Amino acid sequence: MNHTQQLVTTNPNLTHQNQVQTYNTLTFSEAWEFFFQGKISKDKLYSEVRAGKIPHLRLGTKILFRSATLETWFQQQELNSIR
C-alpha cells in the first residue's frame, strides 16, 4: 500500500471530496465506494458502465475511472435533472 492509499484509508476525518481528489484514477470498487458511496448496487453500476452511460476506460478486464471525469459527469447529470 503506498502512502496516498494509507492516507485515504486510515484518515476517517477526510471528506468525500478530499478522498476522491487524492486519486487520479479509480478502480471500479474505488469509484463505487467514493463516488456512488454504495448508494447503488455494484450490479447497477456495472450495468450502467456496460450501457456506456458512465464515462470509463477498459484495460483488459479492468474498468477504470478518472476522478475529474466522474465529477464533471455528476455535475452534468445534476444539471440535466433540473431541465
Side-chain angles (χ1 to χ4, degrees), residues 4-5 8-9 19-26 30 34 67:
T4 303
Q5 289 172 321
V8 171
T9 57
Q19 288 175 335
V20 171
Q21 288 178 353
T22 303
Y23 289 92
N24 183 34
T25 304
L26 302 170
E30 290 167 342
F34 295 135
S67 312

Side-chain angles (χ1 to χ4, degrees), residues 33-80:
E33 182 181 339
F34 295 135
F35 273 92
F36 298 95
Q37 299 174 348
K39 303 293 184 192
I40 63 172
S41 70
K42 284 187 175 183
D43 286 340
K44 178 64 175 172
L45 181 54
Y46 273 121
S47 174
E48 296 297 302
V49 166
R50 273 191 300 262
K53 294 181 179 180
I54 299 175
H56 65 283
L57 170 67
R58 280 195 185 264
L59 291 174
T61 59
K62 290 283 186 188
I63 298 171
L64 301 174
F65 302 88
R66 295 180 86 195
S67 312
T69 303
L70 278 181
E71 193 63 47
T72 300
W73 178 80
F74 260 77
Q75 291 171 356
Q76 188 61 48
Q77 297 306 304
E78 289 173 345
L79 288 175
N80 291 343

